[in-house]
Amino acid sequence: MLRPLLRALHVQLRSPARPCRINCAGLRGQDLLKSEQENWKVMSARYKDMAEKIKQKLEVFYDKYTFNQDRPMIRFGNFVYFEENGCILRSVADGDKGSAEVLLSTEDLCFHDAFIQRLRISPDERYMATSIKSSNSEESTCIIMKLDKLPVIERIIPNVFSFEWATNNVLFYTSQENLVCHNVFLTTLTNTKHTELVYTEQDPRFFVDICCTKDRRFLTINSNSKTTSEVWLVDCSHPFKSPVLVQQRTKGVIYHIEHRNDELYILTTYGQPAEYKLMKTPLGSCGMENWQSVYTLKEKTKLIDMEMFKDQCVMFLKYYNHLYLNVISLGSHSVQSVELPAWACAFELEPHPEYNTSTCYFQLASPVQPPKRFAYSLVENHLIEQVEQEVPITLNCHTVHLTAKSKDETLVPITVFHNTDSKELHRKPLLVHVYGAYGIDLNMSFKAENLMLIDNGWILAYCHVRGGGELGLGWHRDGCKHNKLNGFYDLKACMMLLHEVGFSQPKYTALTGASAGGVLAGALCNADPELFGAMVLQAPFLDVLNTMLDIHLPLTVEEQEEWGDPLTDDKYMEYIKSYCPYHNIKPQHYPSVLITAYENDERIPLTGVLRYIHKLRKAVMDHASSKYKQEIASMIVSRDITGPSPCIPPQPREDVTIAGTGSPAPNIILNVQTGGSHCAPSWEDLLNEVAGHLAFLHRELKLEGK
């Protein structure tokens, strides 16, 4: 499973926070934070009753559709391991799951609001290593358990990102500090326990993790930047020997390694066209000059994941939002293509299928369809829908695929969901989702609140703009660095098309984005605020320029490959300034805005969010004051012409109609959550957060009578 390739948690989300030390209009950062928290208490009271009603409905939908919060079972040897209610359990393979034994409990270890990220079993099944992460922190802790009759804790290692067993008692792991992962260690669990440093990455643009080849012959030390890779091999039969370099890093070339029958299989961007290719080379001749082509993805194809088996390689692909499998014979190089159900938008491969297995298991879902389990038989070339657990079928939802023509005439896909019984769609509320960064797809996984919205007549639209990865590597290249504005033009074209074809209208339209999705959403809010009536952002990246100018932030240098380097290139300085949401705020009429930020967020500097909300609120009031002065001037002129002095209206406030426009002043609200890390609140906080967002939209879009 290509987790180095799909390191979404690391590449999607923004830079770590620094203390709120910046002055904003005479207020120190901490004073401004306290002021915003007090303002939230006042403003949230307006939505409290509606939020409570929505929360009650949400709980019904979550209970009905989120029926399996636990992760799939992992089979290893004679046992299966699975997570349930914060515990790791083990049962005999093909036995009764009800008789499983508890190996570890996060509550017993005093990890509250925590979840299990990773699980690895030693080859002889005597040890289990697992990582536990709190919802309030980015850092994970590795717990090593000795699986005796009564499992006991053997070792606790803090600040671990990834780990793999090389032998029965030698574990390799990477350490993470301030979101940077540069060091690889090995530790032994023999009588002479010791830990030693194996590898250190010197380039701050790179991030290191560890994987194990499916045949367990090698561990791979993967050092990746956004555009370049380097892999070192550790022979599992000789774990204390120095790692061996596969291919020295070459700028612009990404590659990842698997092993089979003394050959290395390489998934890489090397060569033309600049899309992913599967190549191979003899183990003793691993330089790229020896790489031989096995299979090349066609243009505009997204590689979601890849899994190696003994005789086949299975690629999970997306082409213009249609999912399918390509099963490649590693002997003949023949390719069997398998279409997946048309309703599927999201895919998740079940973890750690056995190397010699004849069946590949995975789950399919969509924003409005709960995950369903499927199996593909590698022997019979047959796709089977599993019926182990009955999954409710979404029947009242219709899916529409559109393409919007962007400024440069590029066709941009849009996926739309709406209630099949809805009439007069132009009068229905519309919620538009956007991301568009890091080559990562817009999140199309299932969320129970989407079904509640569909039931209530909402239209949901997902805009697959450039900068994301929906149409392959080129789709990302065309929306990053000096092409970032393409994503903005794509989003604008999508919004306009949705309205043109009869999906809602601006006053009933809301825009939402999370993390780096805040860049495009915030840019459109400045440039074309008339396209929508409200905007909801979660942990948004809004101050691109100031963040990219601060090299003391751990991820800034790494992220120059996404945004450019304004410190050394004046062209990037001006280009980023041209779209940066914070730098383009101006006095004008804005839609209402609700931003949720997290006090423990290590990726989005809270200072930038505070600066943004303060500047935006000031711009709204300046615009209101300007309209007020224009109205007064108009009245004075009218008095000079007609005689008696008119009644002078009061000064504008944030909660009244803007003078001279007939439009209500927008509400600009920041909710700083005291718990939760970046876009990862606890379960209860998530429920409250979603209910609060929907209550805000219900009021600001004036849906009381709809």
Side-chain angles (χ1 to χ4, degrees):
M1 199 179 303
L2 293 169
R3 292 308 167 212
L5 169 64
L6 304 170
R7 190 164 44 86
L9 180 64
H10 175 67
V11 299
Q12 177 179 2
L13 309 174
R14 270 299 313 159
S15 304
R18 47 189 168 177
C20 290
R21 61 181 184 271
I22 305 297
N23 288 339
C24 293
L27 291 175
R28 294 182 59 189
Q30 290 295 338
D31 295 330
L32 187 56
L33 173 59
K34 184 177 180 180
S35 174
E36 288 298 336
Q37 289 171 331
E38 291 298 321
N39 183 64
W40 167 249
K41 291 180 182 178
V42 175
M43 297 298 292
S44 62
R46 301 180 179 185
Y47 313 102
K48 183 177 180 180
D49 291 343
M50 178 59 67
E52 285 297 325
K53 293 178 182 178
I54 292 175
K55 183 179 177 180
Q56 291 176 9
K57 293 181 179 179
L58 276 173
E59 288 173 339
V60 173
F61 275 84
Y62 274 86
D63 288 344
K64 181 178 180 181
Y65 291 101
T66 314
F67 44 80
N68 184 14
Q69 290 293 323
D70 302 318
R71 301 190 180 187
M73 294 185 294
I74 298 172
R75 180 162 182 162
F76 195 97
N78 298 319
F79 295 94
V80 291
Y81 300 79
F82 57 96
E83 179 188 352
E84 193 171 275
N85 299 323
C87 297
I88 296 178
L89 298 93
R90 178 176 68 176
S91 65
V92 176
D94 303 321
D96 181 13
K97 184 178 176 182
S99 61
E101 61 176 321
V102 176
L103 302 179
L104 178 148
S105 167
T106 56
E107 288 292 331
D108 290 348
L109 294 173
C110 298
F111 285 91
H112 303 293
D113 287 328
F115 58 92
I116 295 163
Q117 275 194 311
R118 192 180 184 111
L119 176 66
R120 297 292 185 267
I121 308 299
S122 65
D124 62 359
E125 298 189 70
R126 288 189 61 204
Y127 293 99
M128 175 183 75
T130 186
S131 57
I132 300 175
K133 180 181 179 298
S134 167
S135 62
N136 292 325
S137 172
E138 291 280 357
E139 298 175 350
S140 297
T141 300
C142 180
I143 311 291
I144 302 176
M145 306 285 297
K146 189 173 184 179
L147 302 180
D148 288 333
K149 290 183 178 180
L150 291 176
V152 295
I153 296 176
E154 185 77 14
R155 182 121 14 123
I156 298 177
I157 310 174
N159 304 329
V160 171
F161 180 78
S162 61
F163 49 88
E164 295 285 354
W165 294 99
T167 67
N168 294 332
N169 49 31
V170 177
L171 183 78
F172 280 68
Y173 66 90
T174 60
S175 63
Q176 179 175 327
E177 185 176 356
N178 294 328
L179 302 180
V180 176
C181 200
H182 285 164
N183 294 321
V184 179
F185 297 88
L186 73 76
T187 187
T188 64
L189 299 176
T190 58
N191 292 331
T192 56
K193 296 179 174 62
H194 81 282
T195 299
E196 64 181 67
L197 179 66
V198 174
Y199 174 86
T200 297
E201 174 58 59
Q202 302 293 338
D203 192 326
R205 297 173 301 167
F206 284 71
F207 187 97
V208 180
D209 63 10
I210 297 175
C211 285
C212 185
T213 58
K214 286 297 296 295
D215 62 0
R216 299 201 59 83
R217 172 72 186 277
F218 295 103
L219 298 187
T220 62
I221 298 174
N222 312 289
S223 191
N224 303 307
S225 76
K226 298 288 191 298
T227 61
T228 304
S229 300
E230 185 173 86
V231 180
W232 297 73
L233 297 180
V234 175
D235 190 335
C236 289
S237 60
H238 300 93
F240 298 101
K241 286 188 176 181
S242 298
V244 176
L245 177 64
V246 174
Q247 165 62 46
Q248 185 174 5
R249 65 191 63 176
T250 301
K251 185 177 180 180
V253 175
I254 297 171
Y255 74 96
H256 308 280
I257 295 297
E258 262 294 349
H259 176 266
R260 171 184 177 267
N261 295 346
D262 289 330
E263 289 184 316
L264 296 181
Y265 281 80
I266 308 115
L267 183 70
T268 180
T269 60
Y270 172 62
Q272 294 297 324
E275 296 290 346
Y276 277 110
K277 308 160 195 69
L278 182 64
M279 309 183 84
K280 69 175 183 178
T281 188
L283 182 58
S285 305
C286 52
M288 66 168 57
E289 67 276 6
N290 300 304
W291 295 359
Q292 304 168 17
S293 177
V294 176
Y295 177 77
T296 299
L297 269 65
K298 64 182 178 181
E299 189 180 6
K300 297 189 182 301
T301 299
K302 164 76 175 188
L303 174 63
I304 303 172
D305 208 341
M306 187 185 91
E307 190 64 87
M308 291 287 291
F309 297 91
K310 183 179 179 181
D311 297 314
Q312 291 103 346
C313 168
V314 180
M315 287 187 172
F316 296 85
L317 306 170
K318 180 192 293 185
Y319 184 71
Y320 279 96
N321 288 328
H322 294 286
L323 301 182
Y324 65 101
L325 308 180
N326 269 359
V327 183
I328 304 167
S329 168
L330 298 179
S332 66
H333 296 180
S334 62
V335 179
Q336 173 81 21
S337 190
V338 181
E339 289 191 14
L340 297 177
W343 56 263
C345 299
F347 154 86
E348 183 175 358
L349 182 65
E350 293 194 359
H352 294 285
E354 295 181 342
Y355 181 59
N356 293 318
T357 189
S358 60
T359 307
C360 178
Y361 293 96
F362 54 93
Q363 293 187 355
L364 299 176
S366 85
V368 296
Q369 174 61 54
K372 301 182 71 173
R373 192 171 189 245
F374 287 80
Y376 181 76
S377 171
L378 298 169
V379 175
E380 299 176 1
N381 295 324
H382 184 57
L383 184 67
I384 307 165
E385 181 178 339
Q386 301 292 285
V387 291
E388 298 169 357
Q389 184 173 31
E390 186 175 346
V391 178
I393 302 297
T394 304
L395 298 175
N396 67 333
C397 187
H398 183 57
T399 305
V400 179
H401 295 284
L402 302 173
T403 51
K405 185 177 290 187
S406 193
K407 183 179 180 180
D408 61 359
E409 298 195 347
T410 296
L411 297 180
V412 183
I414 312 170
T415 308
V416 182
F417 304 92
H418 68 84
N419 195 306
T420 54
D421 297 326
S422 288
K423 308 297 181 185
E424 296 185 313
L425 289 172
H426 68 286
R427 298 175 58 84
K428 300 297 181 182
L430 167 66
L431 183 58
V432 179
H433 296 257
V434 68
Y435 185 69
Y438 303 112
I440 294 173
D441 294 7
L442 185 58
N443 186 356
M444 297 283 282
S445 59
F446 174 71
K447 293 182 179 179
E449 58 264 30
N450 289 336
L451 286 181
M452 188 187 78
L453 291 174
I454 293 293
D455 268 10
N456 291 339
W458 280 76
I459 305 164
L460 307 179
Y462 294 78
C463 302
H464 308 288
V465 302
R466 283 175 285 184
E470 286 88 341
L471 272 69
L473 297 176
W475 200 245
H476 173 227
R477 287 192 298 269
D478 289 345
C480 69
K481 297 180 78 171
H482 61 277
N483 292 321
K484 182 57 68 175
L485 276 171
N486 283 340
F488 163 77
Y489 295 128
D490 292 353
L491 177 58
K492 180 178 178 179
C494 290
M495 297 277 281
M496 294 179 67
L497 178 68
L498 287 165
H499 294 149
E500 287 172 9
V501 299
F503 288 120
S504 193
Q505 50 190 292
K507 66 180 179 179
Y508 299 136
T509 298
L511 179 61
T512 185
S515 191
V519 175
L520 297 183
L524 189 67
C525 189
N526 287 327
D528 297 277
E530 73 283 353
L531 286 177
F532 48 102
M535 180 169 72
V536 173
L537 302 177
Q538 183 189 25
F541 187 30
L542 296 164
D543 192 357
V544 184
L545 185 58
N546 285 326
T547 303
M548 295 307 298
L549 288 172
D550 189 347
I551 60 172
H552 299 293
L553 293 171
L555 298 183
T556 294
V557 175
E558 176 186 343
E559 302 231 330
Q560 289 169 357
E561 293 181 320
E562 176 70 24
W563 308 97
D565 182 7
L567 279 168
T568 61
D569 191 330
D570 289 341
K571 290 182 179 179
Y572 276 122
M573 172 79 77
E574 294 305 314
Y575 189 73
I576 294 174
K577 192 182 295 184
S578 73
Y579 67 78
C580 175
Y582 172 75
H583 282 84
N584 287 278
I585 294 172
K586 56 191 175 186
Q588 63 178 347
H589 180 68
Y590 276 93
S592 291
V593 176
L594 171 60
I595 295 176
T596 301
Y598 304 95
E599 201 167 7
N600 294 331
D601 193 335
E602 297 179 48
R603 296 179 179 272
I604 298 292
L606 185 57
T607 306
V609 179
L610 290 168
R611 279 202 304 261
Y612 174 87
I613 208 78
H614 182 79
K615 186 176 180 180
L616 181 60
R617 193 177 288 127
K618 184 178 183 300
V620 166
M621 292 308 295
D622 287 348
H623 174 63
S625 296
S626 174
K627 290 295 183 181
Y628 173 83
K629 291 175 182 177
Q630 291 176 20
E631 185 170 313
I632 295 302
S634 175
M635 289 181 176
I636 292 173
V637 171
S638 176
R639 180 195 62 187
D640 292 341
I641 295 173
T642 61
S645 175
C647 178
I648 303 298
Q651 284 281 356
R653 305 193 314 272
E654 290 182 75
D655 58 348
V656 298
T657 298
I658 296 177
T661 68
S663 300
N667 287 308
I668 310 298
I669 307 172
L670 173 62
N671 174 18
V672 180
Q673 297 275 2
T674 54
S677 58
H678 186 74
C679 295
S682 65
W683 172 251
E684 183 65 24
D685 288 340
L686 174 63
L687 203 60
N688 289 329
E689 189 176 299
V690 172
H693 289 174
L694 298 182
F696 171 82
L697 294 179
H698 195 272
R699 178 182 174 115
E700 299 306 315
L701 298 181
K702 298 178 175 55
L703 304 179
E704 285 81 359
K706 300 183 77 64

